[in-house]
């Protein structure tokens, strides 16, 4: 930051709008303690910040600041508040806020964001499309990231410990949870930190062997689940409604209390069920079902992800653009937060080209356009992101160069315009319904057969598991996921493959799959009689 700022040992002091604007030019992550002039910054958190600064050792990527709400216009909505507030700015964009001196949550948020920045800098991941946090504070707003407004959804945390992972009990435990009418909202497989274990199991901290337990829980991978109560159908409402505000509020409170009782009853049932199934030694359930702090520690973006509307659309690079600037376009797509789910090169038939170019059929250049569209390969993509349809339309711009110049000159239509063509060199689905049809057409589902061999089970004996897997390019993708036939070779060439992780030798190599579509269909016909008659899609 600029030398004119008054520097503390750890945190830069921001006490006017100019310094605030300058602070937003920081590269990487800036953690901002927003304070009131009459009470000063939160000293209780400075020890944590100093620890993070020393341990993460990221002078260029990690910054800390204190900002006086009374003298900064941007922070005016936070004035006259007594509760500590921490904002998280990534490259000048406020992407998160936490109310209260919640050290574990702040610690986890900083570590998560710094790890992301490191991966981005190393080229290991694309920068996420963060939703910028509105800098407002009102009596109706919940407490920062830890608030979950929707009382219809009450959550709980389940930790499946390293012993269960090693014993391959995870799928069994998840099945039991689902069978007791819970929904698994989020899950992750990770190596827990000692701080996370101590926070989750704080009620056991006084036990004499607690530190040994912490060592055990951090010795291997665990599974963390967020579960919620499966919603039941609401009974039909009585025609007579509450006649007063008091009656309505009492009804609302009764519903909330009933939901908490129901969730607690189901949680007790889950714990008891696990004991009866001899699985309770493998997993633990968070007792305080209204405590959402743990969700934020283990899944910092859970609330955001619950509110995101993910959409899939078809996008297409026309032949000239695909031939000349494919990599430039793909880089922009990823930088804009789109995830490429599937892609393939395809030479369009005349009928396909006419369908995709139907909006131009009355133009005098239509015939030449169809010739161009069928002259070489196009690149078809399935894109995924929140509100994908709207974002893609805004990114690529109007369907013609003339219209784009007039209304959206910064669009990709102008950036990648071809002198020989008056149309947008990028195509996108017109609607979600059209996207579904187009994806089905250009990426038709394919069946393959997969077999998990008996030695993979903990007992190393008994039946094989035979499955039909369905997706576009299923045969090739399953073979790629299996890895080389010899597990030793797989561990060298494809260490993340199934055979590399679970195979023992060339005979006990964990899994089997069809070599081609013909073999897959023959095997499926033999083992799943009548399957194809019920699933007539082409392969």
């Amino acid at each position: 930051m600029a030398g004119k700022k008054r520097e503390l040992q750890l945190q830069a002091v921001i006490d006017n709008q100019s310094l605030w604007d300058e602070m937003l030019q920081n590269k990487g992550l800036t953690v901002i303690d927003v304070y009131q002039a009459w009470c000063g910054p939160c000293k209780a958190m400075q020890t944590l910040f100093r620890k993070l600064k020393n341990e993460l050792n990221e002078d260029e990527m990690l910054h800390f600041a204190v900002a006086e709400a009374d003298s900064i216009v941007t922070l005016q909505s936070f004035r006259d508040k007594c509760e500590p507030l921490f904002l998280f700015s990534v490259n000048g964009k406020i992407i998160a806020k936490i109310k209260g001196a919640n050290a574990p949550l702040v610690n986890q948020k900083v570590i998560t964001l710094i790890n992301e920045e490191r991966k981005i800098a190393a080229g290991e991941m694309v920068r996420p499309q963060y939703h910028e946090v509105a800098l407002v504070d009102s009596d109706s707003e919940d407490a920062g990231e830890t608030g979950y407004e929707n009382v219809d959804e009450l959550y709980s945390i389940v930790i499946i410990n390293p012993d269960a992972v090693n014993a391959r009990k995870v799928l069994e435990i998840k099945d039991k949870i689902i069978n007791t009418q819970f929904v698994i909202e989020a899950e992750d497989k990770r190596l827990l930190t000692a701080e996370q274990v101590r926070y989750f199991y704080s009620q056991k901290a006084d036990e004499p062997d607690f530190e040994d337990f912490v060592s055990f829980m951090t010795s291997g991978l665990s599974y963390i689940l967020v579960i919620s109560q499966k919603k039941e159908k609401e009974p039909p409402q009585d025609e007579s409604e509450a006649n007063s505000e008091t009656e309505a509020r009492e009804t609302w409170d009764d519903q909330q209390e009933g939901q908490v009782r129901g969730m607690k009853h189901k949680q007790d049932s889950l714990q008891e069920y696990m004991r009866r199934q001899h699985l309770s030694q493998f997993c633990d359930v968070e007792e305080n079902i209204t405590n959402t702090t743990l969700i934020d520690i283990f899944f910092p973006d859970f609330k955001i992800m619950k509110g995101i509307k993910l959409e899939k659309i078809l996008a297409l690079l026309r032949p000239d653009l695909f031939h000349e600037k494919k990599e430039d376009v793909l880089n922009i797509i990823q930088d804009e937060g789109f995830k490429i789910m599937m892609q393939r090169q395809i030479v369009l038939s005349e009928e396909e080209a006419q369908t995709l170019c139907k909006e131009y059929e009355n133009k005098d250049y239509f015939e030449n356009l169809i010739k161009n569209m069928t002259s070489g390969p196009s690149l078809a993509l399935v894109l995924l992101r929140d509100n994908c349809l709207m974002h893609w339309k805004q990114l690529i711009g109007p369907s013609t160069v003339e219209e784009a110049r007039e209304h959206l000159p910064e669009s990709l239509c102008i950036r990648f315009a071809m002198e020989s063509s008056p149309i947008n060199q990028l195509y996108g689905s017109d609607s979600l319904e059209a996207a579904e049809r187009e994806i089905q057409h250009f990426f038709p589902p394919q069946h393959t057969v997969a077999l998990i061999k008996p030695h993979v089970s903990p007992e190393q004996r008994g039946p094989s598991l035979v499955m039909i897997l369905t997706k576009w390019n299923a045969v090739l993708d399953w073979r790629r996921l299996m890895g080389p036939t010899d597990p030793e070779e797989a561990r060298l060439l494809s260490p993340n493959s199934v055979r590399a992780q679970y195979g023992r030798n060339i005979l006990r190599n964990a899994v089997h799959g069809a070599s081609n579509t013909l073999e897959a269909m023959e095997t499926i016909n033999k083992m799943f009689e009548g399957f194809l008659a019920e699933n007539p899609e082409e392969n």
Side-chain angles (χ1 to χ4, degrees):
M1 299 181 64
K4 68 178 181 178
K5 288 194 179 73
R6 290 177 286 138
E7 294 290 334
L8 295 178
Q9 181 179 359
L10 179 66
Q11 296 160 293
V13 176
I14 313 297
D15 55 9
N16 60 58
Q17 186 65 40
S18 176
L19 291 178
W20 173 269
D21 294 337
E22 188 176 346
M23 178 270 298
L24 292 180
Q25 302 302 313
N26 284 348
K27 297 298 182 183
L29 170 65
T30 303
V31 184
I32 309 157
D33 177 356
V34 178
Y35 70 95
Q36 317 300 315
W38 59 269
C39 65
C42 182
K43 293 184 178 179
M45 297 292 284
Q46 290 178 359
T47 301
L48 171 64
F49 294 155
R50 191 169 289 107
K51 171 177 172 287
L52 286 167
K53 192 72 172 178
N54 292 334
E55 291 182 354
L56 294 174
N57 192 27
E58 290 288 355
D59 290 336
E60 299 297 322
M61 195 179 291
L62 176 60
H63 317 275
F64 294 96
V66 292
E68 183 183 312
D70 306 72
S71 57
I72 300 171
V73 176
T74 301
L75 302 178
Q76 61 181 347
S77 63
F78 298 115
R79 294 172 186 171
D80 301 321
K81 307 293 180 181
C82 60
E83 187 177 21
L85 173 70
F86 300 93
L87 302 177
F88 298 80
S89 170
V90 175
N91 290 344
K93 186 176 184 180
I94 306 297
I95 57 97
K97 64 181 177 180
I98 294 177
K99 283 187 177 180
N102 190 331
L105 181 54
V106 171
N107 180 76
Q108 181 64 30
K109 192 70 175 176
V110 171
I111 292 174
T112 298
L113 291 173
I114 287 296
N115 285 338
E116 284 185 359
E117 290 300 305
R118 286 170 171 168
K119 290 179 181 177
I120 292 167
E124 297 175 3
M125 69 175 286
V126 176
R127 182 172 298 282
Q129 287 294 109
Y130 295 114
H131 292 259
E132 190 160 10
V133 172
L135 296 182
V136 295
D137 192 292
S138 64
D139 294 336
S140 63
E141 184 184 26
D142 284 325
E145 290 193 342
T146 60
Y148 289 80
E149 294 89 346
N150 189 355
V151 297
D152 289 331
E153 295 183 293
L154 297 171
Y155 302 103
S156 193
I157 291 277
V158 176
I159 291 185
I160 303 175
N161 65 38
D163 274 355
V165 177
N166 292 333
R168 297 175 182 169
K169 294 281 187 180
V170 174
L171 287 178
E172 181 181 355
I173 292 172
K174 288 166 62 177
D175 285 343
K176 301 297 183 188
I177 290 173
I178 293 170
N179 288 340
T180 52
Q181 301 303 302
F182 283 97
V183 176
I184 297 176
E185 299 281 357
E187 61 180 286
D188 193 17
K189 180 182 180 181
R190 71 174 71 166
L191 189 66
L192 295 176
T193 66
E195 188 172 13
Q196 289 171 336
V197 174
R198 290 191 180 97
Y199 194 85
F200 185 85
Y201 293 98
S202 58
Q203 73 278 9
K204 296 183 178 181
D206 295 333
E207 296 181 7
D209 58 349
F210 182 67
E211 289 305 315
D212 291 337
F213 175 75
V214 173
S215 298
F216 158 69
M217 289 298 296
T218 57
S219 65
L221 295 173
S222 297
Y223 263 83
I224 304 96
L225 311 177
V226 178
I227 62 173
S228 68
Q229 180 181 356
K230 184 175 288 187
K231 294 181 180 178
E232 299 178 356
K233 292 183 179 179
E234 296 181 0
Q237 293 184 346
D238 187 60
E239 292 182 3
S240 60
E241 305 216 353
N243 294 322
S244 69
E245 184 178 345
T246 302
E247 289 177 349
R249 183 161 53 249
E250 289 174 353
T251 302
W252 176 259
D253 292 340
D254 289 344
Q255 289 174 350
Q256 276 193 275
E257 184 179 353
Q259 288 168 344
V260 173
R261 284 199 305 268
M263 183 70 174
K264 183 64 179 175
H265 173 72
K266 286 183 177 294
Q267 180 170 309
D268 291 339
S269 299
L270 174 62
Q271 292 172 325
E272 179 59 33
Y273 189 59
M274 290 298 178
R275 280 192 284 271
R276 290 200 305 269
Q277 298 293 320
H278 307 291
L279 294 172
S280 58
Q281 72 270 29
F282 291 120
C283 64
D284 296 282
V285 181
E286 160 64 11
E287 294 288 342
N288 186 357
I289 51 108
T290 60
N291 180 6
T292 58
T293 301
L294 280 168
I295 297 178
D296 294 303
I297 289 174
F298 292 120
F299 300 91
D301 298 323
F302 179 75
K303 183 182 178 183
I304 295 175
M305 292 305 297
K306 286 289 289 181
I308 286 178
K309 180 186 178 184
L310 292 177
E311 296 173 347
K312 286 193 296 186
I313 66 162
L314 181 89
L316 187 122
L317 281 66
R318 304 187 197 272
D320 290 344
L321 180 60
F322 172 57
H323 180 260
E324 296 184 19
K325 295 186 177 179
K326 179 188 87 169
E327 294 303 325
D328 291 344
V329 177
L330 293 181
N331 287 335
I332 291 172
I333 287 173
Q334 294 183 353
D335 289 343
E336 290 292 329
F338 295 92
K339 183 174 182 180
I340 299 175
M341 303 293 291
M342 295 182 281
Q343 61 177 299
R344 66 180 296 201
Q345 297 181 36
I346 181 172
V347 178
L348 299 175
S349 67
E350 185 171 334
E351 182 181 358
E352 289 171 331
Q354 289 173 345
T355 300
L356 291 177
C357 299
K358 187 174 180 60
E359 62 184 307
Y360 310 108
E361 62 182 351
N362 294 324
K363 304 293 185 181
D364 55 8
Y365 53 76
F366 182 68
E367 186 176 343
N368 289 333
L369 173 61
I370 298 304
K371 288 181 180 178
N372 176 266
M373 289 291 291
T374 57
S375 64
S378 298
L379 182 66
L381 306 168
V382 176
L383 302 181
L384 175 74
R385 69 159 289 177
D386 58 303
N387 295 308
C388 189
L389 184 71
M390 178 193 71
H391 284 296
W392 182 246
K393 285 184 176 181
Q394 291 178 343
L395 181 64
I396 66 174
S399 60
T400 66
V401 176
E402 181 181 4
E403 187 180 356
R405 282 202 182 100
E406 182 178 353
H407 299 291
L408 209 61
E410 70 277 12
S411 66
L412 298 189
C413 179
I414 298 299
R415 180 168 177 177
F416 295 109
M418 300 288 176
E419 292 184 3
S420 59
S421 177
I423 71 165
N424 196 328
Q425 293 298 304
L426 290 145
Y427 170 83
S429 302
D430 288 331
S431 65
L432 294 179
E433 293 75 16
E436 187 174 351
R437 293 193 303 269
E438 291 167 351
I439 291 171
Q440 280 285 106
H441 177 81
F442 288 105
F443 297 88
Q446 182 185 76
H447 302 308
T448 190
V449 65
L451 181 142
I452 300 178
K453 300 182 179 182
H455 74 86
V456 176
S457 67
E459 297 81 10
Q460 300 182 35
R461 69 186 192 286
S464 298
L465 177 63
V466 185
M467 301 174 288
I468 298 174
L469 305 182
T470 302
K471 70 183 293 285
W472 177 73
N473 210 28
V475 173
L476 183 59
D477 284 355
W478 174 237
R479 294 196 65 79
R480 188 180 296 120
L481 183 61
M482 288 192 297
T485 304
D486 187 342
E488 290 299 325
E489 182 182 353
R491 280 185 270 274
L492 289 173
L493 302 179
S494 185
N496 293 323
S497 65
V498 176
R499 284 169 174 159
Q501 297 183 62
Y502 299 104
R504 299 186 176 184
N505 53 51
I506 200 164
L507 293 178
R508 295 188 171 190
N509 61 1
V511 288
H512 170 74
S515 299
N516 51 57
T517 54
L518 180 60
E519 180 184 329
M521 292 304 100
E522 290 177 348
T523 305
I524 290 172
N525 276 327
K526 290 176 181 177
M527 305 193 72
F528 297 90
E529 184 178 353
F531 175 80
L532 291 181
E534 299 175 2
N535 297 270
E537 69 270 318
E538 295 181 1
N539 294 281

